[in-house]
Amino acid sequence: MITIGQLAKYVGVSTKTIRVYHDKGLLPEPARDASGYRRYGADDAIDLIKIRTLTEAGVPLARIRDLRSATDEEFQQALREIDDALTTRIDALRATRGRLHRLAAGRLGSLPAEVGAHLERLARWGFTPRWVDLQRDLWILVFATHPDDATTLFQDQAETLADPALRQLFLAYDSAHDLDADDPRLDDLARRIAEATRQRYGPGEMPELGTASEIPGLIQSTVNAASPAWQRLDTLIRRQLDA
C-alpha cells in the first residue's frame, strides 16, 4: 500500500489531480489508515493510469466517469471512437503544421490555377488593382483555412461574375470605394445588390463557410475597413436582406 504522494509520483500526475479525480467520482477514495493517511493499492494505480491516458487523449472527465460502469464491449467501442477522433485531430494538426512551414518559408498559401485566371479576368473586366489585390488576399485566406469549402465558394463567385449584369454590380461596389459614406448612391446600389441576391439564391441560403467559422466576419471586416463607403454599403445590404 502506498501514499497519495507515492501514487502521484509513480503515475506521473500531481496529488491535486488525484484529489480532483476523487471529487469528480473518477477514482474511488480509499479509506484512511489509523494514522489518517489514504493508502492506495495496485488497482488504484491501474485505474489512475487509465484515467491519465484518457484525459491525455482529450476525453472529458464526465465521459471517463461514465466509462467506469461500461461493459468491456462498451469500453472497447469507446476506445475505438476515441482512436478515430485522435486520428482526425492528428490529420488536422499535420495540415496545420504544413501551413506553418509554408508560412515560415514566406509562402502564406498558393491558389489554384483557376483562381489565378479569375483574378486576371477581373483586371480585364475593369476592376481596380485595389479590388484585384483584395480578392487575391481574401481567397488565399479562404483556401488556407477552409480548403474543403473554398472551391465551392469560388465557383459560386466565378459564376456570379460571369453574368454581365451581376458583374456590373460588383464593378459598382468596387467604384463605391471613394464615395462619401452618406452618398445617396449607396442606398440605390445596396437595394440593387440585395434584389440581385434574392433573385440568384431565392429563399435558400447562400453558400458559406458555416456559422461556426470566424473567417466570413474577418473577411467582411477587412473589406469594410478599406472604405467607409464600403462599410455603410455592407450595412445597407444586410438591412435589405433581413427586411
Side-chain angles (χ1 to χ4, degrees):
M1 304 297 288
I2 58 177
T3 65
I4 188 172
Q6 291 171 319
L7 176 64
K9 182 178 180 180
Y10 292 152
V11 177
V13 298
S14 68
T15 56
K16 180 180 180 181
T17 297
I18 295 176
R19 293 189 180 97
V20 169
Y21 293 162
H22 287 328
D23 292 339
K24 298 291 185 180
L26 277 73
L27 185 67
E29 186 172 355
R32 297 177 182 270
D33 61 16
S35 301
Y37 293 103
R38 299 186 186 95
R39 295 292 177 176
Y40 298 83
D43 289 344
D44 298 310
I46 292 172
D47 286 345
L48 185 55
I49 290 172
K50 290 180 179 178
I51 296 169
R52 186 199 64 187
T53 302
L54 291 171
T55 56
E56 289 175 347
V59 182
L61 295 183
R63 174 63 172 149
I64 298 174
R65 183 177 60 247
D66 292 341
L67 289 175
R68 285 189 54 81
S69 59
T71 64
D72 183 65
E73 182 179 351
E74 292 171 339
F75 187 74
Q76 292 301 321
Q77 176 61 32
L79 290 182
R80 288 191 290 270
E81 293 173 357
I82 294 167
D83 183 71
D84 290 341
L86 276 176
T87 300
T88 300
R89 285 171 55 192
I90 290 170
D91 290 342
L93 287 171
R94 284 175 176 166
T96 300
R97 187 183 185 191
R99 290 195 294 270
L100 286 174
H101 287 173
R102 291 193 296 272
L103 179 60
R107 295 180 288 111
L108 179 59
S110 57
L111 289 172
E114 59 267 29
V115 180
H118 172 72
L119 295 173
E120 292 178 359
R121 284 194 298 272
L122 292 182
R124 292 198 300 271
W125 284 333
F127 286 93
T128 63
R130 173 194 59 237
W131 181 271
V132 176
D133 289 345
L134 179 62
Q135 291 297 307
R136 182 196 65 240
D137 292 345
L138 296 182
W139 281 120
I140 287 175
L141 177 61
V142 173
F143 273 91
T145 58
H146 293 75
D148 294 336
D149 300 320
T151 299
T152 299
L153 292 173
F154 167 72
Q155 290 173 348
D156 178 72
Q157 187 187 93
E159 291 173 2
T160 298
L161 291 176
D163 185 319
L166 297 177
R167 185 163 66 243
Q168 288 303 314
L169 291 177
F170 276 83
L171 284 166
Y173 200 123
D174 181 11
S175 299
H177 177 278
D178 298 323
L179 296 178
D180 291 334
D182 57 354
D183 193 303
R185 286 175 287 183
L186 295 176
D187 295 85
D188 179 65
L189 178 57
R191 178 186 56 77
R192 290 189 288 132
I193 291 176
E195 289 178 355
T197 300
R198 292 194 189 95
Q199 290 176 4
R200 177 165 171 74
Y201 298 105
E205 295 184 357
M206 295 182 291
E208 58 181 5
L209 295 177
T211 56
S213 174
E214 297 179 354
I215 297 302
L218 177 60
I219 289 175
Q220 191 59 57
S221 65
T222 301
V223 173
N224 291 348
S227 162
W230 280 356
Q231 182 175 12
R232 181 164 182 266
L233 190 54
D234 175 52
T235 300
L236 292 171
I237 292 171
R238 292 175 184 274
R239 188 177 301 162
Q240 290 273 350
L241 291 175
D242 291 339

